[in-house]
Amino acid sequence: MDKRVKSVIDLMNANLQQRLSVSYMAHLVNLSPTRFSHLFKEETGVPPLRYLRTLRMCGAAHLLLSSYLTVKEVMISVGFRDVSHFVRDFKRMYGVTPTEFRLRRLVAPDKRLVASDKKCTALARDHAIRQ
């Protein structure tokens, strides 16, 4: 993986709660926003902000299952500032609201939400392989 893209992914992982614009990320690696976006998509298969949103959703799912934080606290922890956008994006990725996600796992812990697990596992695997 290109070291510039890797450094930005590391930044994303370390700073899920912060606002990161494409311009800011591009500036950090001394590229224009357009060139950075092309390079990032070439290396990861997705645009930088979609990659960041997926990281945030994976982080939110993990926190919902492994902590006693409220949905709002989880939302803030992973960098969302608007509940409606968070719930909408979470439901788009996982097919259920954050509250339903947590309840389904508590009621039937051995039944996995396969699509969401695959996305997060693939993201983590791809990041580890490309390092």
Side-chain angles (χ1 to χ4, degrees):
M1 174 176 279
D2 186 283
K3 65 181 180 179
R4 295 167 293 189
V5 172
K6 183 188 174 315
S7 69
V8 170
I9 289 173
D10 292 341
L11 173 79
M12 289 177 179
N13 279 304
N15 298 288
L16 286 181
Q17 73 286 357
Q18 291 184 358
R19 288 195 171 188
L20 299 172
S21 67
V22 172
S23 296
Y24 177 73
M25 291 183 268
H27 174 75
L28 290 174
V29 293
N30 297 318
L31 293 172
S32 72
T34 303
R35 177 65 188 126
F36 170 72
S37 293
H38 286 304
L39 178 63
F40 194 95
K41 187 170 182 178
E42 189 177 288
E43 292 287 327
T44 65
V46 294
L49 293 180
R50 184 178 304 162
Y51 191 96
L52 178 60
R53 186 173 57 242
T54 303
L55 280 177
R56 287 179 169 158
M57 290 295 114
C58 292
H62 176 74
L63 286 172
L64 286 167
L65 299 177
S66 65
S67 74
Y68 292 105
L69 296 174
T70 66
V71 171
K72 190 170 183 177
E73 290 169 331
V74 168
M75 174 197 81
I76 292 167
S77 295
V78 297
F80 281 85
R81 285 151 182 65
D82 180 22
V83 175
S84 64
H85 284 109
F86 173 67
V87 171
R88 181 199 64 209
D89 287 352
F90 193 92
K91 190 170 183 177
R92 187 177 291 148
M93 183 167 170
Y94 292 96
V96 294
T97 66
T99 303
E100 292 169 330
F101 180 84
R102 180 179 268 167
L103 290 174
R104 284 186 181 189
R105 287 291 178 98
L106 292 173
V107 172
D110 47 324
K111 291 191 176 190
R112 302 188 60 144
L113 294 174
V114 178
S116 60
D117 290 339
K118 283 184 178 177
K119 282 183 186 179
C120 293
T121 302
L123 195 63
R125 183 192 66 242
D126 289 348
H127 179 63
I129 289 171
R130 294 177 182 189
Q131 285 187 7

